[in-house]
């Protein structure tokens, strides 16, 4: 068993720039989003702490509700209700997507909050998983 953070780089973004999803493609069980309903302006980007996440980042809602998952088809930025997760080069985005979908009940049990449940970056990074071998990840990537 290993903590989830051994497979990914977790990012918590602070600027409310993700207002909804616009273009969605579904491949089997996997949702891939190419953009939100609105785009961040250059002024908004420069005046906030938001970061642009790379293509292939896995977007995970971390509050109200916990557990919506998507893969970014283009560079994106999200708001504070997300964990934007950049898989390591050896971890396919699709694998991480499916893993997070399976982990939602465990993540929800580890969430805190009184008004609504929320999982912190440190909370989600400590979730224990069985780390697959590189051989399994390579086979997964080929499919």
């Amino acid at each position: 068993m290993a903590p989830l953070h051994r497979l990914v780089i977790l990012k918590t973004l602070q600027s409310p720039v993700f207002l909804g999803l616009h273009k969605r493609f579904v491949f089997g069980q996997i949702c891939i989003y190419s953009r939100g309903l609105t785009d961040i302006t250059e002024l908004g980007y420069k005046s906030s702490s938001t970061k642009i996440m790379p293509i292939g980042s896995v977007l995970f809602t971390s509050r109200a509700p916990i557990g919506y998952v998507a893969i970014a088809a283009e560079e994106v930025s999200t708001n504070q209700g997300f964990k934007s997760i950049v898989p390591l080069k050896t971890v396919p985005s699709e694998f991480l997507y499916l893993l997070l979908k399976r982990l939602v009940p465990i993540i929800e049990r580890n969430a805190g909050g009184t008004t609504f449940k929320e999982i912190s970056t440190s909370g989600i990074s400590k979730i224990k998983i069985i780390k697959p071998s590189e051989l399994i990840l390579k086979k997964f990537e080929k499919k």
Side-chain angles (χ1 to χ4, degrees):
M1 299 280 283
L4 181 60
H5 70 84
R6 296 250 174 105
L7 295 180
V8 301
I9 299 167
L10 284 158
K11 302 282 186 179
T12 302
L13 303 177
Q14 299 303 319
S15 178
V17 296
F18 185 88
L19 300 175
L21 298 170
H22 178 60
K23 293 185 180 177
R24 180 176 114 160
F25 308 96
V26 180
F27 297 99
Q29 300 177 358
I30 299 175
C31 295
I32 299 177
Y33 287 90
S34 66
R35 65 180 302 178
L37 290 174
T38 60
D39 294 326
I40 189 169
T41 64
E42 188 172 338
L43 176 63
Y45 178 71
K46 288 180 178 178
S47 65
S48 70
S49 63
T50 195
K51 303 285 185 259
I52 302 296
M53 304 308 297
I55 293 169
S57 295
V58 179
L59 313 174
F60 182 84
T61 57
S62 56
R63 68 174 179 189
I66 292 173
Y68 290 1
V69 186
I71 297 173
E74 296 179 16
E75 292 180 329
V76 297
S77 59
T78 59
N79 71 7
Q80 62 270 22
F82 278 80
K83 299 299 175 236
S84 299
I85 304 168
V86 180
L88 298 178
K89 292 190 185 296
T90 58
V91 180
S93 297
E94 297 81 3
F95 172 82
L96 183 57
Y97 175 101
L98 294 171
L99 174 66
L100 286 168
K101 293 292 275 184
R102 295 276 184 188
L103 290 174
V104 168
I106 295 166
I107 293 169
E108 286 177 330
R109 283 196 300 272
N110 285 278
T114 53
T115 305
F116 52 83
K117 293 283 191 183
E118 180 172 13
I119 186 75
S120 66
T121 300
S122 64
I124 199 169
S125 69
K126 292 176 185 173
I127 301 290
K128 299 285 186 187
I129 61 165
I130 297 173
K131 184 179 175 189
S133 70
E134 287 188 33
L135 179 63
I136 289 173
L137 290 173
K138 284 180 183 177
K139 286 182 179 180
F140 187 93
E141 193 170 28
K142 289 180 183 179
K143 292 191 180 205

